Amino acid sequence: MFNKIYDWVDERLDIAPIWRDIADHEVPEHVNPAHHFSAFVYCFGGLTFFITVIQILSGMFLTMYYVPDIVNAWESVYYLQNEVAFGQIVRGMHHWGASLVIVMMFLHTLRVFFQGAYKKPRELNWVVGVLIFFIMLALGLTGYLLPWDMKAVFATKVTLTIADSVPLIGPAIKTLIAGDPTIVGAQTLTRFFAIHVFFLPAALLGLIAAHFIMIRKQGISGPL
């Protein structure tokens, strides 16, 4: 059945050369755990990407039930957690995955740094990777407010205070991300939801695509 579908699509779009170019890519021996135990450190990037995919899929499920306003936000999360089939599992995956992806990305960054994989000709890919790290941190920051409980509100107040302390542009940054410069309220929740669901994921997908393209062009870096 799958072969028939593949042949039907290939006959019309000629996808076989594209698929072969992806599937036939040779993996260096030093990243094969069967040959080198230290090759497991090269798995951190792939694991980070795998968790990111889980975060995207679980987040899409959560948005089907979440209501981004201060009246219904907490109740929608409660309903999802306690009434929706498998809702507690999916939310748990998204919640713990948000922390795990940061841990895996940190380990991946350490591997790249200590093995000198940021050096020529991979300087630009290092910059892209650092930007992905900041995007991930921003996703965790904006997502923390969405359950709209007391802990989330007070943590966001601390975050906005830190943003406000930036010299010269601090108040402008606070107003931009919070909406209302005086309180954490409806405008703040709406903006955090929009940033978390639309703006940051769009930037993340673009940076990940650039990251993979450069890895494909430059190859996987070797050990020291």
Side-chain angles (χ1 to χ4, degrees):
M1 180 65 180
F2 176 78
N3 290 335
K4 290 182 178 180
I5 296 174
Y6 178 84
D7 292 339
W8 187 89
V9 174
D10 185 46
E11 184 179 358
R12 288 154 178 80
L13 301 178
D14 193 26
I15 62 174
I18 302 174
W19 174 247
R20 290 197 190 99
D21 182 60
I22 297 174
D24 294 344
H25 185 65
E26 185 175 348
V27 177
E29 183 178 343
H30 66 270
V31 301
N32 188 345
H35 297 153
H36 302 279
F37 179 77
S38 61
F40 282 106
V41 299
Y42 290 91
C43 298
F44 293 149
L47 289 172
T48 302
F49 176 70
F50 176 71
I51 300 170
T52 300
V53 172
I54 291 177
Q55 289 298 96
I56 293 172
L57 295 177
S58 59
M60 292 168 63
F61 176 83
L62 296 179
T63 56
M64 296 174 65
Y65 296 93
Y66 181 73
V67 182
D69 67 64
I70 59 176
V71 176
N72 299 299
W74 186 88
E75 291 184 358
S76 66
V77 173
Y78 181 87
Y79 175 78
L80 170 69
Q81 183 99 354
N82 296 281
E83 302 295 335
V84 177
F86 306 108
Q88 187 174 14
I89 295 175
V90 177
R91 189 188 172 220
M93 292 170 59
H94 198 75
H95 173 80
W96 293 109
S99 299
L100 186 58
V101 73
I102 299 298
V103 173
M104 295 309 304
M105 183 165 286
F106 180 70
L107 292 175
H108 178 57
T109 304
L110 287 180
R111 198 279 300 173
V112 172
F113 179 78
F114 283 112
Q115 290 195 328
Y118 59 88
K119 298 178 180 179
K120 184 181 179 181
R122 298 179 174 85
E123 306 97 327
L124 183 58
N125 210 5
W126 168 261
V127 173
V128 171
V130 172
L131 291 176
I132 292 175
F133 204 156
F134 283 126
I135 292 291
M136 286 294 190
L137 291 174
L139 281 166
L141 181 69
T142 53
Y144 199 82
L145 177 65
L146 300 186
W148 197 248
D149 53 17
M150 294 302 296
K151 182 172 66 173
V153 171
F154 282 109
T156 302
K157 288 182 179 180
V158 173
T159 301
L160 294 176
T161 301
I162 295 173
D164 190 43
S165 65
V166 176
L168 300 178
I169 60 173
I173 294 175
K174 179 181 178 182
T175 303
L176 177 65
I177 62 177
D180 191 327
T182 57
I183 62 171
V184 175
Q187 279 279 354
T188 312
L189 181 61
T190 302
R191 293 201 179 194
F192 271 52
F193 176 77
I195 294 170
H196 185 78
V197 174
F198 298 111
F199 293 94
L200 292 178
L204 178 65
L205 292 176
L207 289 171
I208 288 177
H211 196 58
F212 282 149
I213 290 172
M214 284 187 278
I215 291 174
R216 182 71 178 196
K217 292 289 185 182
Q218 299 163 350
I220 300 175
S221 62
L224 288 175

